[in-house]
Amino acid sequence: MSPAVAIVLTAGLTATACGLLGPLLVLRREALVGDAVSHSVLPGIVLVHLVLGTRATLPVIVGAAAFGVVCVLALEALRSTGLVRADAAIALVFPALFSLGLLGVDRWAADIHLDLDSTIYGQIAFVPFRTLVLGAVAVPQSVVAIGAVALVDLLLLVAFWKQVKVATFDPGFARTTGVDPTVVARVLLTAVAATAVTAFEAVGAIVVIALLVVPAATAHLLTDRLGVMIAVSVAVGWVAAVSGYAGAVALDASIGGAMGVVATCCFVLALLLSPQHGVLTRALRRRQRVRAAGRAAAGRGTAAVPPTPLRRPGTCAAGGSCRPAGGRWRPGTLALPCARAAGTGALPPRTAAGAGGCTTRLAQASAPGRRSR
Amino acid sequence: MDALIDALPLPYTDAVVATGAAVLGLLAGLVGVLAVLRRRTLVGDALSHAALPGVAVAFLLAGVKDTVSLLVGAAVAGTLAAVLVLALERSSRVRPDTAIGVVLSGSFSLGIVLLTHIAATGDAGQAGLQDYLFGQAAGLVQADVTLFAALAAGTVVVLALLHRPLTVVLFDAAFARSTGLPIRLLELVSTVLLVVAVVVGLRTVGAILMVAMIVVPAVAARQVTGRLATMLVVAGVVGAAVGTAGSLLSTATRTPTGPVVVLLGAGVVLLALSLAPGRGVLWHARRLRRDRRRRQREGVLVDVAAAGPAPVAASALGAGRPSRAVRRTLRRLRRDGLVRATGAGWSLTAAGQGAATAVLARRELWWAWLEHGAEVAVGDAREPDPDDLAGSLGAEAVERLRALGGTAPAVAGGAR
């Protein structure tokens, strides 16, 4: 297996594992769990060093994974009290665990080099050098490890698809149908912790954090269906893996960093051009609608409203609030004249009708076929 | 500041660290309230990662490792990241945590690519750029403390001036918009306060401590109050106290300051989450237990009364209740002199008879309320307190309800 293939394969498998779990995290508003886990594993590493006196890969991964699980269970416990929101829970748990690790390093491991960068955070460029002989072929260790984790994630997801879906979108309903959302959350977060820790060791933390969040966020902009979202997010992850590697080689820069950048570029593209939710597509649609409505009004002989830039209902060019004057909105008109007198910016008494200085758009909210956001 | 530092009975460096941690705690507590209420606690984390490309670009432009230009680069990149997070949330269906995650990983990746690219071009001067940003709490100097104090004073002034509009925006943004408040401006002001505090904090005490100091005082304060003004004061005090206590503790035990402050803060939050009156986990558990006991007590008392004057065996009481709970409740009732045990079983004392009558009267009133509540004019529009129906309805309404009377619901639950 050539180095390039080994690296891309490892990154792609990481993207697969992350792409399977990331969408669920994004939908549960826990996108930053990967980042939290990446900091929380330190006490586990210190503990393994303290008890076993080793920095070998397997025990370190086990110790780190244990504290990754501690971290996500603590998050879930804090969240389930209902007193702390998800973001604050993350911000409470990971600094505490990381500090515990730092104190441990200071107390028991100051004499050896127990650096996060060298102990737990691998470098994807080193993947081809650590191989494992399977049968007669030398396969990189990380391909085997991450492939196994991705397979387990996939099996879990397929086996508990219905439960995961209902617990993610409607925890209350899940409870009434006998699916305990807390159990689902714990299993999911444990899988995330195990996946993340295994992948940290092979490809480095930032790749994992980026691949957990960015492809899922991209997919969330492109689709409303969970299955499609997961597929898209795996695909975006693979695109990031392949073109990130090519870009890194061309630039002579960090492979992991380049993968993150490519994934972010995909996100930006989706943000601008997504058919449903894209910023540009929405602006374009709005403009077309304004023009069509203007033409329709002109065709019926009613006074056409000139296409002015659209504003949020209730705001007007003079700033602040405004209220429509001159009664109810009727189909065919695009906007109501605002009661705010032109130029002065002052609101006239409520009885005064009309001469509008600006318009309050109502057509936007009542246009047919528009999905409410 | 100088006078305060000199007045402390500590060696100079320790006094500086303690004062600095206190002032930083105060500052972080104040801006943390804004962050926690707007679900932006992890902005600190995002900024700490987002500063990396800023540093790299500043180094590329300046060509040397110069503190000022690197800091400016970091601050610009941090502000840009914060604005990006805001814009992402507003312009699409991206939620706050996802927006933070995307900005964090995207900018950190970009930073790594830039740094490794610089390294590959063979410029030896870039070594250690990555660590340039992050300070240590133990490395605080007096200038930092003065800066914190100035920032904290500025934050207090801004918060005092904007208290009313901020309250409205934080608790009901839609209402705030409908009243014509400049929401975007207010959001921008609170974001700027947060970003400035975080960037300064990152440079002086490091990312982890800063993230913790933002969230700890605000979450602790939220548990003890529901009012913004009180929450700000409590958060400031908690932040300052945690900072001071943590730095003193770390000096006494010769441990690193940052982690000790963070762990102390985590302890304070745990304490607040479990004990806070009206909200805390343990507080809730205690109230739940008290209520359950009272219901069991009343149920068993009524059952004994219903069995008539003859002694009744424990096994015949409290149908549907676990027999152990019934026996325990009976023992408690005997201790209070409400029932007595005879050879044949349990019977009520005179005091117990009175208590049982009172419980039954309360129940009848409740049934009457359920049946005829709509017909009775009550002064208060709110739902009455089921535990003290007579007290919350008033004597007149109670009189009418008793006259109307009520029947026990058909469900067995009514008999308890």
Side-chain angles (χ1 to χ4, degrees), chain B residues 222-249:
Chain B
R222 179 66 190 86
Q223 307 313 317
V224 293
T225 176
R227 304 188 61 82
L228 182 64
T230 326
M231 189 175 164
L232 282 167
V233 174
V234 173
V237 170
V238 168
V242 166
T244 320
S247 59
L248 291 181
L249 190 66

Side-chain angles (χ1 to χ4, degrees), chain B residues 241-326:
Chain B
V242 166
T244 320
S247 59
L248 291 181
L249 190 66
S250 82
T251 316
T253 55
R254 296 182 180 284
T255 38
T257 309
V260 173
V261 175
V262 172
L263 287 176
L264 200 66
V268 167
V269 166
L270 277 187
L271 215 62
L273 286 178
S274 43
L275 298 180
R279 260 174 86 95
V281 176
L282 289 183
W283 194 93
H284 260 299
R286 200 172 134 249
R287 200 181 57 178
L288 211 67
R289 205 181 59 175
R290 211 183 49 205
D291 285 357
R292 192 181 297 133
R293 280 198 183 157
R294 213 191 56 217
R295 304 244 184 280
Q296 279 178 353
R297 207 180 146 89
E298 291 181 353
V300 171
L301 203 60
V302 169
D303 283 359
V304 177
V312 56
S315 55
L317 287 169
R321 276 178 218 284
S323 59
R324 226 180 50 201
V326 171

Side-chain angles (χ1 to χ4, degrees), chain A residues 29 35 87 220 224 251 254, chain B residues 41 45 91 93 97 116-117:
Chain A
R29 304 177 185 233
D35 187 39
D87 68 315
H220 194 208
D224 286 339
L251 276 176
S254 154
Chain B
T41 20
D45 196 27
S91 65
R93 60 166 14 189
D97 65 314
T116 46
H117 186 64

Side-chain angles (χ1 to χ4, degrees), chain B residues 110-190:
Chain B
L110 185 66
I112 290 180
V113 168
L114 284 175
L115 279 188
T116 46
H117 186 64
I118 297 171
T121 54
D123 191 339
Q126 52 78 34
L129 264 188
Q130 192 170 345
D131 303 321
Y132 215 75
L133 281 170
F134 302 121
Q136 285 278 334
L140 282 174
V141 293
Q142 204 169 337
D144 297 332
V145 182
T146 318
L147 182 57
F148 287 157
L151 277 177
T155 308
V156 169
V157 170
V158 172
L159 287 178
L161 287 177
L162 296 180
H163 175 242
R164 281 171 65 93
L166 269 182
T167 315
V168 181
V169 170
L170 284 175
F171 289 99
D172 196 341
F175 173 70
R177 179 172 291 140
S178 74
T179 58
L181 281 172
I183 300 192
R184 294 191 182 193
L185 190 68
L186 286 167
E187 274 200 348
L188 196 68
V189 168
S190 52

